[in-house]
């Protein structure tokens, strides 16, 4: 599992380095900013995609831990997300960034994250929405055995919500992004970007990422 997941995360980080990936990353940061601005404590942990593109760089929590399964830029903890070498009830905020949909046992990843999270801590999950344009594209690429998507197992919003409730977590809310991925150049891209941000602003369920 570890080798496969590491390869997938490498592909995913390469995708996030491209133009559309950079756009989505910034939109994700903007969506998380309100929560992160009010997250206080001693430790914040991001698991999954980190690289040189963390989501919690502006968090008021100074001790930031970036956990990945392979040595990569910005990572300071090498570990599997289903076996995090941190004490129980020790982390104030956890960000799970595209970790569940590529894990062999996503429920175990959530159990481990819940173990290290403090009782009043905050968990932020970023995942691909299978019921979207991006989700449909990912499904086709998975069928074609594309390197990035061959181990992709989407986790639906409702299923994730059920898992979190079973773990005793309260689901506060959901934001949806990337419903209309920008394409092309110039005026076309500008129109698509404005349309995508309109979809995100109204939190429509067609968002490619939730």
């Amino acid at each position: 599992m570890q080798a496969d997941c590491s390869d997938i995360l490498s592909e995913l980080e390469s995708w996030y380095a491209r133009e559309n990936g950079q756009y989505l990353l910034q939109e994700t940061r903007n969506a998380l900013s309100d929560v992160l601005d009010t997250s206080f404590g001693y430790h914040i942990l991001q698991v999954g995609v980190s690289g040189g593109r963390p989501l919690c760089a502006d968090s008021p929590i100074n001790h930031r831990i970036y956990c990945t399964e392979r040595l990569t830029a910005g990572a300071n903890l090498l570990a599997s997300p289903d076996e995090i070498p941190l004490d129980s009830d020790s982390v104030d905020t956890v960000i799970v960034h595209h970790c569940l949909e590529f894990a062999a046992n996503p429920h175990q990843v959530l159990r481990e994250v819940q173990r290290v999270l403090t009782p009043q801590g905050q968990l932020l999950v970023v995942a691909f929405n299978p019921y979207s344009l991006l989700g449909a594209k990912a499904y086709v690429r998975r069928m074609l055995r594309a390197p990035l998507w061959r181990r992709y197992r989407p986790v639906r919003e409702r299923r994730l919500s059920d898992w979190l409730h079973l773990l005793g977590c309260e689901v506060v809310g959901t934001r949806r992004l990337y419903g209309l991925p920008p394409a092309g150049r110039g005026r076309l891209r500008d129109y698509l970007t404005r349309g995508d941000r309109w979809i995100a602003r109204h939190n429509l369920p067609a968002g490619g990422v939730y």
Side-chain angles (χ1 to χ4, degrees):
M1 169 193 168
Q2 283 83 358
D4 287 342
C5 190
S6 295
D7 292 342
I8 290 167
L9 287 178
S10 177
E11 293 282 347
L12 198 54
E13 288 177 354
S14 296
W15 182 83
Y16 265 105
R18 300 169 196 160
E19 188 173 9
N20 272 19
Q22 287 291 302
Y23 167 82
L24 174 57
L25 197 68
Q26 188 56 51
E27 294 298 299
T28 305
R29 288 194 187 108
N30 294 341
L32 298 181
S33 62
D34 289 344
V35 177
L36 290 177
D37 286 346
T38 59
S39 297
F40 297 100
Y42 298 99
H43 312 288
I44 185 168
L45 168 68
Q46 179 175 327
V47 295
V49 180
S50 291
R53 295 167 288 279
L55 295 174
C56 57
D58 296 327
S59 168
I61 301 176
N62 289 323
H63 187 216
R64 300 163 192 151
I65 307 167
Y66 303 112
C67 177
T68 63
E69 293 193 76
R70 64 179 183 85
L71 188 61
T72 184
N76 51 16
L77 177 63
L78 298 181
S80 172
D82 55 11
E83 293 182 354
I84 302 172
L86 297 174
D87 292 337
S88 299
D89 304 331
S90 63
V91 180
D92 301 284
T93 301
V94 178
I95 302 174
V96 177
H97 192 199
H98 295 311
C99 199
L100 299 180
E101 57 261 65
F102 295 102
N105 189 344
H107 200 186
Q108 173 56 30
V109 173
L110 284 178
R111 281 195 294 264
E112 185 68 356
V113 166
Q114 193 263 354
R115 180 189 67 80
V116 304
L117 197 62
T118 60
Q120 300 302 318
Q122 297 190 76
L123 169 61
L124 306 172
V125 177
V126 180
F128 291 121
N129 174 17
Y131 303 123
S132 65
L133 289 174
L134 183 62
K137 187 176 180 180
Y139 180 80
V140 171
R141 289 185 172 181
R142 176 186 166 194
M143 293 298 98
L144 295 175
R145 309 292 292 175
L148 174 55
W149 304 102
R150 67 184 184 276
R151 290 290 299 271
Y152 172 62
R153 300 292 184 274
V155 178
R156 293 178 289 109
E157 272 186 53
R158 183 170 295 180
R159 176 177 292 181
L160 176 59
S161 181
D162 289 342
W163 287 349
L164 291 171
H165 283 128
L166 287 173
L167 292 172
C169 298
E170 177 188 0
V171 179
V172 177
T174 304
R175 291 286 304 277
R176 301 169 186 88
L177 311 169
Y178 211 60
L180 191 62
R185 299 289 176 189
R187 185 172 298 178
L188 172 61
R189 187 175 185 88
D190 183 57
Y191 286 147
L192 291 174
T193 298
R194 282 189 282 175
D196 178 59
R197 287 175 175 162
W198 184 90
I199 290 172
R201 188 163 58 250
H202 290 82
N203 206 25
L204 299 183
V209 168
Y210 66 88

